[in-house]
Amino acid sequence: MPPLDKRIKKFLKNSIRVAPKISNKGELAELRSGLVSQYPQTRKDAIKKTIQQMTLGKDVSSLFPDVLKNIATNDVEQKKLVYLYVMNYAETHPELCILAVNTFVTDAQDPNPLIRCMSIRTMSMIRVDKILEYVEIPLRRTLQDDNPYVRKTAVICVAKLFQLNKELCIELGVLEDLVCALDDNNPMVVANATASLSEINAMDPTVVSLLDLIQSHVSQFLLALNECTEWARITILGALAEYTARDCVEAQEIIDRVTAHLQHVNPAVVLSSVKVIIKNLVQIEPESKRIVMTKLSSALVSIMSTPPEMQYVALRNIRIILEKYPTLLTKEARIFYVKFNDPLYVKLEKIDILVRLVDPTNLKQCSVLMRELKEYAMEFEPEFVSRAIQGLAQLAIKCGDVKFVSKTFEILLDLLESQEALKNDCCIAVCDLLRHAVGNEKLATDACQLLSTWPVNETLLLSDSAKCNYVWLMGQYPNKFDELQDKLLCFIENFVEEEPLTQTSILVTVVRLHSKLPGSVLQNVLELATNQIQELDVRDMAIIYWRCLSMPNSDQLIAELCSSVSPQIENTLHTFTSDVLEKLLTEISSVSSIYFKPQFDGPRGAVRHHNVVRGRHIDELKDLAKNELARKANDDVLLDFDDDEEDLVSPRSSMAGGRAQSHMDDLDTLFDFGTSSSSQNNGNDNIDKGVADLNLGQAEQQQNQQQQTQTQSKINSNTQDLLDLF
Amino acid sequence: MGNFFSSMFDRLWGVNKELRILILGLDGAGKTTILYRLQIGEVVTTKPTIGFNVETLSYKNLKLNVWDLGGQTSIRPYWRCYYADTAAVIFVVDSTDKDRMATAAKELHLMLQEEELQDSALLVFANKQDQPGALTASEVSKELNLVELKDRSWSIVASSAVKGEGITEGLDWLIDVVKEEQL
């Protein structure tokens, strides 16, 4: 213990805060003087102020060297602040980052595990090649650290390193360390290592064989599951879901272990457990299957008491599960009834689930639901009401009972009469029912009676599909409509302005009824459709009809086409194809389960390319900074800066006039990349998205062109300077 | 005004200012070794410094804040970031490296031209005297053109960081000069 006066002195020195000098040089100068102050507390205050400015979006990057000086301290808080600053500006000032390397390496050996962890985390977060060169020793050291807190961070850093520089990561051999971390005695480390490995596997499946690793570590995972935090559990459950059990005994064991987590308070854990269970459910005995199903359904029900956002996610996932196991939640229908204070998006999903989960053979349940939906149809939110009406039709078709259908029909007609605004949706629903109940003359007569009284010229039917259905109805039951010709002519008048569905429908109806219409109508419509419509489907259809009509035995052909009876529709609920369903079931509780779009198989090429672009962008910035410094310092030494970097693939554009050719090559590769990534994207998704991607690709190309011109001008302006310097 | 009060305050409580000392020199001259020789009195195995090391050490009742900056070509431009408030500069030269003596001289004179370093004292260590073929202090002095330096207290000391020779002598001289000038 030092003597009292010394302690007092030390205390005073540490707590002195110098009042900021009011200078006319501005805020930055003020901050700078604070940062280099001799009093630690003042320096710390200045760092805080700098970071405050940084978060406000002001550019305080010019203070980088001064802030960096404060990195050497024992104060964890101050260190953290400086790290925060370094991380934020590392990308714009890559060249200055190397000044911090030594500190990072030293900090990775600090006695304080917090600092060790912080240093390795920050180091791997800085996306600068220069830093990565020095990451080896600290990373290796922290991977073998005594403290699990440091180890669990280090294993994540391996994945980060892999993303930034795959070759380096493989060369360093840290992947072997990562695999060893799966055997760690700390569950957190195991979980993070799993997460890290699956990230790496997603980036490049050839490097590690994740499936084999999971297979050999299943027992470890099951053991670790009970001891780790919720997020770690989700990771481990995710890994377990990748694994296919060898036999029914093992599947049963996995299910038994995982079932306990269905009670977890975090819905993500619950959904992940559901995923694992569903994966193994197919393998176990039918006897125990029933018990597991009960547990599953109660778990899913329990998520319905979470906040609406989570309910929504749960509902989307339930919809997938229901398609595989339709009877899973039949008894729990009541839980999914819409509450008055549910947000709209939850309400809509609930209606969908309700219609799906009812047992079509249980007439009583169906009628209860029908009454419920009828209530919903009386509500005021238009989207909700239209979904409810759609639900009514779907329910009736799913149930299929004749009486039930006619009852639903009555409800729809009632609704139609009570409220004008529902005409669109009721029209669609009624037509759906008629398509289901083919040959039910009574229904058709009632429907046409009501619908034919509508004045067409008024803007009653707004939506495309409603108009389409109305026109279809006219074509289907022409005898039941009064003033059919006027109505149809009314539609034909607006033919060009209509949307594609209606256009197609008009076209079909006119062809069907051409014998009942004046001869010029058909000719007129066909001409309009072939000459004035941009929509390919409509045009092609018109051309085909025209061909048919101009064939020698056209009358017979047309009669055949028109009199064909469309099959009865059994189900209007949207379903997945079987392979999509299987894929989605393995992706429960992920984003793809919410969008109903399975993940793209294969390497995430596009993502990696993106990073490369970023890297290049940084490089350009780096060059800019370098040139600026070069001009300022007028110091040739600076140009040696890049010498030890020669092996990197990065384009050092505008380094010298003599290398202009190589820049052009670099730019060409950039250019190529633009097109290749867009084509990859195309393969990535369905066609309609492909069109958007094409645009994206074009934009990218344009950008590249811009870059090219920029760099060219840069080369011109800098060549002279640089040649002088050389 | 604030400065006046704070300096008053310092004297009143006898709180000593920390003296900022920079250790500079080409790469591989032995800067980091000298720093840790000063701090813990031992020879540590070093790797090339990318960035800087900073240590605080007490020497003769003075607090020294010693910054050892990396000497790589790529880092040298950033030395300037550290010049502010520097009481003294220790420039370390590898006495065996005759080829790069000219580079060292250029770096040294370039550095000394800086505005912020006009008042700081200069101590040159002609390091690695333990190795064969090392130039003597006077030879190094000649190579570095030290005689040209006017208006500055400077000194050159032959040293060997590995053996610990000459380091304390050099520092003693430096502290005396700095004390005179600063306090």
Side-chain angles (χ1 to χ4, degrees):
Chain A
M1 190 65 97
L4 187 66
D5 60 326
K6 274 199 178 168
R7 269 158 60 203
I8 292 176
K9 271 183 196 170
K10 192 174 177 206
F11 172 75
L12 280 173
K13 183 171 160 45
N14 282 339
S15 52
I16 284 174
R17 294 182 178 195
V18 178
K21 271 180 268 176
I22 311 294
S23 69
N24 46 7
K25 282 182 201 157
E27 209 166 17
L28 279 182
E30 207 176 289
L31 283 173
R32 179 170 287 129
S33 71
L35 286 170
V36 297
S37 161
Q38 47 187 318
Y39 302 106
Q41 194 58 47
T42 317
R43 287 203 296 267
K44 198 164 158 185
D45 286 348
I47 299 171
K48 281 183 187 161
K49 265 185 229 148
T50 312
I51 292 189
Q52 201 177 16
Q53 298 291 323
M54 179 180 91
T55 45
L56 285 175
K58 283 192 191 157
D59 182 23
V60 284
S61 55
S62 56
L63 298 173
F64 199 102
D66 297 304
V67 176
L68 201 60
K69 276 182 219 169
N70 292 300
I71 206 170
T73 168
N74 290 323
D75 184 352
V76 180
E77 193 188 345
Q78 184 177 338
K79 221 172 197 110
K80 202 159 190 169
L81 288 170
V82 177
Y83 276 174
L84 191 69
Y85 179 91
V86 171
M87 260 187 284
N88 194 43
Y89 282 114
E91 289 193 12
T92 45
H93 289 71
E95 72 288 342
L96 288 170
C97 274
I98 55 163
L99 293 177
V101 168
N102 211 49
T103 323
F104 282 133
V105 178
T106 327
D107 282 351
Q109 308 176 52
D110 199 277
N112 186 344
L114 273 178
I115 293 183
R116 289 204 296 272
C117 167
M118 221 154 68
S119 89
I120 189 69
R121 184 166 43 203
T122 316
M123 201 165 179
S124 61
M125 268 166 110
I126 298 178
R127 299 159 167 270
V128 176
D129 287 333
K130 205 76 187 154
I131 290 265
L132 290 184
E133 286 172 33
Y134 302 98
V135 86
E136 177 186 358
I137 298 165
L139 185 58
R140 230 186 262 283
R141 196 175 287 139
T142 43
L143 275 172
Q144 307 294 340
D145 204 283
D146 294 332
N147 193 312
Y149 180 71
V150 181
R151 285 202 303 274
K152 86 168 173 53
T153 313
V155 289
I156 292 289
C157 292
V158 176
K160 288 188 194 167
L161 176 65
F162 188 87
Q163 192 194 12
L164 294 175
N165 193 337
K166 189 170 106 184
E167 289 75 24
L168 180 72
C169 191
I170 296 169
E171 192 187 304
L172 294 182
V174 279
L175 290 176
E176 284 79 39
D177 289 322
L178 186 58
V179 172
C180 292
L182 282 179
D183 294 314
D184 203 285
N185 51 17
N186 186 300
M188 278 304 292
V189 182
V190 176
N192 277 8
T194 318
S196 188
L197 278 170
S198 28
E199 276 298 316
I200 290 174
N201 190 56
M203 282 183 268
D204 187 350
T206 57
V207 184
V208 279
S209 56
L210 186 63
L211 277 180
D212 294 347
L213 284 174
I214 293 176
Q215 200 151 6
S216 51
H217 289 87
V218 167
S219 51
Q220 267 107 317
F221 289 159
L222 288 174
L223 279 177
L225 204 51
N226 294 320
E227 294 170 40
C228 49
T229 65
E230 42 197 308
W231 296 111
R233 271 183 216 188
I234 296 167
T235 316
I236 292 183
L237 286 168
L240 280 176
E242 304 270 314
Y243 172 69
T244 317
R246 279 189 303 272
D247 48 29
C248 98
V249 180
E250 195 182 14
Q252 183 67 49
E253 196 203 327
I254 292 176
I255 288 184
D256 288 347
R257 289 272 193 169
V258 172
T259 314
H261 299 282
L262 288 175
Q263 317 287 326
H264 201 276
V265 68
N266 184 336
V269 176
V270 179
L271 278 179
S272 304
S273 313
V274 169
K275 172 161 68 172
V276 176
I277 292 175
I278 284 186
K279 166 100 183 183
N280 290 292
L281 202 55
V282 282
Q283 291 199 34
I284 63 169
E285 311 271 345
E287 297 280 302
S288 37
K289 206 169 183 171
R290 229 185 41 248
I291 306 167
V292 178
M293 293 282 250
T294 337
K295 284 183 179 154
L296 265 187
S297 78
S298 64
L300 291 174
V301 165
S302 75
I303 311 183
M304 295 315 294
S305 50
T306 51
E309 292 83 1
M310 293 180 193
Q311 279 185 41
Y312 178 75
V313 174
L315 286 167
R316 298 290 274 188
N317 282 297
I318 288 174
R319 183 231 175 287
I320 299 172
I321 300 167
L322 276 183
E323 195 150 335
K324 176 94 177 174
Y325 302 104
T327 54
L328 182 66
L329 288 165
T330 305
K331 290 189 187 117
E332 313 287 350
R334 197 158 287 278
I335 293 292
F336 296 96
Y337 281 176
V338 173
K339 294 193 203 84
F340 74 97
N341 57 353
D342 280 335
L344 180 63
Y345 56 92
V346 171
K347 284 183 180 171
L348 298 181
E349 285 305 313
K350 276 188 171 174
I351 294 180
D352 189 49
I353 297 295
L354 277 172
V355 176
R356 276 168 201 280
L357 61 75
V358 289
D359 180 4
T361 55
N362 185 344
L363 212 57
K364 196 172 160 237
Q365 195 183 27
C366 287
S367 4
V368 171
L369 181 57
M370 183 177 69
R371 278 197 293 279
E372 184 76 19
L373 287 174
K374 191 186 162 191
E375 291 295 313
Y376 298 162
M378 312 280 198
E379 294 280 337
F380 57 93
E381 279 169 296
E383 283 176 66
F384 178 55
V385 170
S386 78
R387 187 69 187 78
I389 292 172
Q390 196 189 339
L392 274 172
Q394 284 173 338
L395 178 68
I397 293 168
K398 184 179 179 185
C399 181
D401 184 74
V402 182
K403 270 189 200 157
F404 194 81
V405 172
S406 38
K407 210 170 164 194
T408 312
F409 198 77
E410 276 163 32
I411 291 174
L412 287 174
L413 295 188
D414 281 351
L415 284 171
L416 255 182
E417 279 171 56
S418 63
Q419 266 173 296
E420 286 275 293
L422 302 181
K423 282 205 158 114
N424 278 304
D425 301 304
C426 286
C427 176
I428 301 170
V430 164
C431 290
D432 274 350
L433 282 185
L434 288 176
R435 284 194 188 97
H436 171 72
V438 180
N440 190 333
E441 283 301 318
K442 194 186 160 285
L443 286 189
T445 321
D446 289 353
C448 295
Q449 226 167 32
L450 189 67
L451 266 64
S452 66
T453 56
W454 293 357
V456 177
N457 45 3
E458 282 175 34
T459 50
L460 266 178
L461 294 172
L462 289 175
S463 77
D464 189 28
S465 57
K467 283 185 202 165
C468 164
N469 275 302
Y470 192 81
V471 177
W472 171 83
L473 196 67
M474 286 195 279
Q476 191 74 14
Y477 303 102
N479 303 327
K480 296 192 165 75
F481 268 84
D482 309 328
E483 301 159 18
L484 176 81
Q485 197 172 326
D486 294 348
K487 286 194 169 113
L488 202 53
L489 285 176
C490 215
F491 275 108
I492 293 168
E493 221 169 87
N494 299 327
F495 184 74
V496 183
E497 284 92 52
E498 298 291 1
E499 279 167 81
L501 272 180
T502 316
Q503 286 174 345
T504 330
S505 187
I506 292 174
L507 191 60
V508 174
T509 307
V510 168
V511 173
R512 269 175 136 181
L513 304 179
H514 74 283
S515 55
K516 298 193 177 79
L517 294 168
S520 62
V521 174
L522 179 62
Q523 181 75 20
N524 188 13
V525 170
L526 285 176
E527 248 165 40
L528 279 177
T530 42
N531 293 332
Q532 298 201 17
I533 305 297
Q534 299 294 319
E535 190 67 29
L536 283 179
D537 287 341
V538 181
R539 217 167 56 187
D540 286 356
M541 204 165 177
I543 290 171
I544 289 176
Y545 278 131
W546 210 330
R547 280 275 166 83
C548 292
L549 287 167
S550 54
M551 272 170 47
N553 51 351
S554 67
D555 287 346
Q556 195 198 338
L557 193 66
I558 292 294
E560 219 170 275
L561 278 176
C562 295
S563 62
S564 65
V565 181
S566 41
Q568 182 183 27
I569 51 168
E570 297 294 345
N571 196 357
T572 43
L573 288 169
H574 174 255
T575 50
F576 302 121
T577 56
S578 60
D579 51 335
V580 170
L581 177 62
E582 287 306 317
K583 268 213 98 206
L584 282 177
L585 280 173
T586 62
E587 284 165 20
I588 285 174
S589 84
S590 66
V591 181
S592 46
S593 73
I594 296 171
Y595 287 107
F596 298 152
K597 289 197 168 121
Q599 268 176 38
F600 172 62
D601 273 333
R604 277 193 230 156
V607 178
R608 230 184 11 252
H609 274 295
H610 197 73
N611 280 330
V612 174
V613 167
R614 241 155 80 115
R616 290 185 186 203
H617 194 57
I618 289 168
D619 267 68
E620 264 163 38
L621 278 173
K622 193 165 150 186
D623 293 330
L624 271 176
K626 236 181 283 171
N627 288 329
E628 201 179 329
L629 273 167
R631 242 172 277 132
K632 269 194 199 150
N634 198 14
D635 189 347
D636 58 5
V637 181
L638 221 89
L639 287 168
D640 295 347
F641 186 53
D642 248 16
D643 277 359
D644 31 7
E645 222 189 5
E646 207 64 60
D647 51 336
L648 295 170
V649 233
S650 53
R652 282 169 299 281
S653 35
S654 76
M655 269 307 285
R659 280 165 61 189
Q661 183 53 45
S662 73
H663 302 319
M664 298 320 283
D665 291 346
D666 285 337
L667 284 163
D668 282 348
T669 51
L670 250 173
F671 204 76
D672 282 345
F673 151 68
T675 37
S676 73
S677 87
S678 74
S679 64
Q680 273 202 355
N681 283 346
N682 277 347
N684 200 332
D685 226 313
N686 44 19
I687 304 159
D688 55 344
K689 217 192 147 215
V691 179
D693 284 339
L694 215 66
N695 291 335
L696 205 107
Q698 279 168 0
E700 231 167 314
Q701 285 177 7
Q702 276 168 4
Q703 260 179 13
N704 287 337
Q705 273 167 344
Q706 274 173 8
Q707 272 179 5
Q708 200 164 5
T709 44
Q710 269 175 13
T711 323
Q712 269 175 336
S713 59
K714 207 160 57 180
I715 291 171
N716 292 339
S717 67
N718 287 340
T719 311
Q720 198 50 48
D721 284 358
L722 290 158
L723 282 178
D724 289 352
L725 289 170
F726 270 127
Chain B
M1 201 63 173
N3 251 357
F4 174 71
F5 273 122
S6 67
S7 61
M8 279 280 285
F9 207 59
D10 288 355
R11 277 165 206 219
L12 205 61
W13 293 93
V15 178
N16 283 335
K17 271 217 284 198
E18 277 183 351
L19 288 178
R20 254 173 76 91
I21 296 180
L22 296 184
I23 306 185
L24 304 174
L26 300 190
D27 46 309
K31 297 177 292 302
T32 311
T33 317
I34 288 182
L35 172 69
Y36 286 102
R37 184 94 212 173
L38 286 172
Q39 212 220 353
I40 48 176
E42 282 171 31
V43 181
V44 292
T45 43
T46 59
K47 285 185 293 297
T49 308
I50 312 295
F52 58 83
N53 291 303
V54 57
E55 299 295 345
T56 310
L57 44 113
S58 300
Y59 193 82
K60 292 192 171 171
N61 268 341
L62 273 177
K63 272 221 162 147
L64 305 180
N65 195 0
V66 188
W67 294 71
D68 153 43
L69 305 181
Q72 257 90 357
T73 328
S74 51
I75 306 175
R76 273 179 238 160
Y78 305 113
W79 284 356
R80 57 171 64 240
C81 304
Y82 298 85
Y83 289 163
D85 287 335
T86 304
V89 176
I90 300 178
F91 196 81
V92 186
V93 184
D94 179 355
S95 314
T96 59
D97 190 359
K98 287 161 196 142
D99 301 337
R100 290 206 298 168
M101 213 48 99
T103 322
K106 211 175 91 197
E107 287 290 344
L108 176 67
H109 288 284
L110 207 66
M111 170 189 83
L112 292 177
Q113 278 164 22
E114 291 286 337
E115 186 82 29
E116 287 167 308
L117 292 180
Q118 287 314 311
D119 299 327
S120 21
L122 172 72
L123 169 66
V124 179
F125 276 128
N127 201 19
K128 304 202 184 176
Q129 291 296 330
D130 52 308
Q131 295 198 8
L135 300 178
T136 63
S138 55
E139 280 169 323
V140 172
S141 166
K142 210 170 139 200
E143 290 273 358
L144 293 182
N145 258 336
L146 288 180
V147 276
E148 274 186 18
L149 295 177
K150 308 278 190 305
D151 305 330
R152 186 185 297 276
S153 10
W154 64 270
S155 168
I156 180 160
V157 177
S159 71
S160 162
V162 180
K163 290 194 174 163
E165 289 160 3
I167 305 290
T168 36
E169 289 87 330
L171 207 64
D172 284 345
W173 172 84
L174 194 68
I175 296 302
D176 287 343
V177 173
V178 171
K179 250 188 183 167
E180 232 166 72
E181 282 183 6
Q182 303 251 329
L183 301 176

